[in-house]
Amino acid sequence: MEGKVALKKLLQVQERPYDNNSDALKGTEEQSIKHTSGSTDHLLSLSLNNSELPQKKQEQPLTQLGWLQTKFEEVKKENQILRSMLNQITDHYAVLQSRLLLAMQQQQLPSSPTNNDDLQKDNMRPEDMEKPVLPATWLQRLNSGDPSPADGSSTTKAFAYAENIEKNIDRNLTSCAYKAVEGKINKQTIISQQEDGASEAASCRKARVSIRAPSDFSLMGDGCRWRKYGQKIAKGNPCPRAYYRCNMGTECPVRKQVQRCAVDETVIIITYEGNHNHSLPPAARSMASTTSAALSMFLSGSTTSTSTLSNYSGLFSSSSTPPGLATFYPSASCPTVTLDLTQPSIDLLKFQRAISSNHCHHFPTLPLHGYNSTQQYSDSKPSSTMIPSEKTSLALVDVVSAAIIKDPSIKAALDAAVSSLITGDTLNINN
DNA sequence: CGCATTTGACCCGCGC
DNA sequence: GCGCGGGTCAAATGCG
């Protein structure tokens, strides 16, 4: 799974149109990365551009052989570097995935030492927290400016591109986690307002992850095959709600509902329930585009406070109230985390700090290799309005995690939604 | 003809 | 116990 995602990213290096930031492999040599199906043993192959060969081949056939051998060695080394990159990406994806899960599960461990540490982290300088952190070996290569034995340009660009990939993976994972956590925070607020938190949690049947998205979002496939098995007009919404069942795996339990928003028909609400029992295929590019665009939207704009989110009480917010980035709706039978892809932006940094500070202390053996998720994004400026208080956020993370532990189905549903989002974005890193 | 979708009937949980 | 509403089933229908 992790390997496939990482590989897909590298494959995209070869396939996607180049732009000024990611023309990683543009140059005289065109590298192609192939992999054997069902295996993590990736074969890196090379094809040489004919323009490299011209007069030498005719005028100096003997030196041509030597030149080719030299070139072959150079490319061989470069391929080794690329292979190393692939492994790095695979490892990092696994780490990021672990981090997401750990953030949800940290509640299981004692929290006393964490709080002080978290407070200390609160006092860290922003520049410390925002400094991009890459794996040691990766950083070493980037800092040395080396890796290519030839001209260095293509591989260096490849590293830059891979760095960008990593940022996007991290961004999306933490975004989704943030949304889930903030949604849970909001759930907690609502529950406390109702003074019925315990009974609500006990009555939870299945947890869901709901995604608000622009209507064109629904036109895109999300990489899964869905079979429609029902349609119903729900109370309070003239638009019918369609019920779909995942048709890919045998007896896949994942279901989704698709419905237009009652107050804004340009918005659709996709609700995922359950967890896929099969591997997900490469998502359709169109879906990836839309997902990426949606992610970009909420990653790059204004912010929403938890207190604002807590004002939501209806199943879906009305047009008169701004949609929440992540909201937890305590509906009658099941809790629903709503990820709002119709609204731009969240502040990733603070959440990343919260997550990383918590899990790092709870799981000291986690193989982070000095890596943490705090990265600096040019389009994601820290904002004090995102969360009323970072201490509040950290405390709420604990509260939230407890709810997730109480209801594991939340994680399953979140997994399904996150998988879709991540799968989609991996094909459109630099869009 | 096979498959997907539609749609009314039915089931189930919840509140009164 | 009853009614309501969400969710699911399965026969009917449509489509390629």
Side-chain angles (χ1 to χ4, degrees), chain A residues 226-418:
Chain A
W226 300 95
R227 176 183 173 83
K228 188 175 184 179
Y229 67 90
Q231 181 169 304
K232 190 100 174 178
I233 293 183
K235 186 180 181 182
N237 190 342
C239 303
R241 175 185 301 167
Y243 299 89
Y244 297 88
R245 189 175 284 146
C246 180
N247 203 25
M248 291 190 67
T250 55
E251 305 291 327
C252 179
V254 175
R255 299 184 180 193
K256 81 170 181 181
Q257 300 175 7
V258 179
Q259 184 176 35
R260 261 179 212 287
C261 181
V263 294
D264 184 359
E265 295 193 359
T266 64
V267 173
I268 63 159
I269 299 142
I270 306 173
T271 304
Y272 292 89
E273 179 183 310
N275 198 17
H276 293 285
N277 62 3
H278 54 85
S279 60
L280 294 172
R285 290 186 178 275
S286 56
M287 167 62 181
S289 262
T290 304
T291 305
S292 181
L295 285 168
S296 297
M297 285 173 63
F298 70 73
L299 285 170
S300 62
S302 60
T303 59
T304 302
S305 71
T306 302
S307 57
T308 299
L309 293 174
S310 68
N311 292 332
Y312 295 80
S313 56
L315 181 59
F316 294 105
S317 56
S318 69
S319 58
S320 60
T321 52
L325 289 170
T327 312
F328 203 106
Y329 298 105
S331 60
S333 59
C334 55
T336 303
V337 177
T338 297
L339 312 182
D340 194 338
L341 302 188
T342 65
Q343 170 173 309
S345 173
I346 61 173
D347 184 341
L348 296 172
L349 185 59
K350 293 186 177 182
F351 176 67
Q352 291 168 348
R353 291 172 61 181
I355 292 297
S356 107
S357 64
N358 276 294
H359 83 69
C360 283
H361 291 288
H362 286 313
F363 302 91
T365 60
L366 190 69
L368 295 178
H369 307 303
Y371 174 84
N372 68 46
S373 63
T374 55
Q375 309 233 4
Q376 186 174 18
Y377 305 118
S378 59
D379 59 347
S380 179
K381 300 175 182 177
S383 167
S384 60
T385 60
M386 179 60 196
I387 303 174
S389 155
E390 192 162 339
K391 293 179 183 177
T392 302
S393 174
L394 293 173
L396 287 172
V397 166
D398 288 335
V399 172
V400 159
S401 300
I404 292 177
I405 295 304
K406 282 182 182 177
D407 188 358
S409 62
I410 293 175
K411 176 187 168 300
L414 190 61
D415 282 347
V418 166

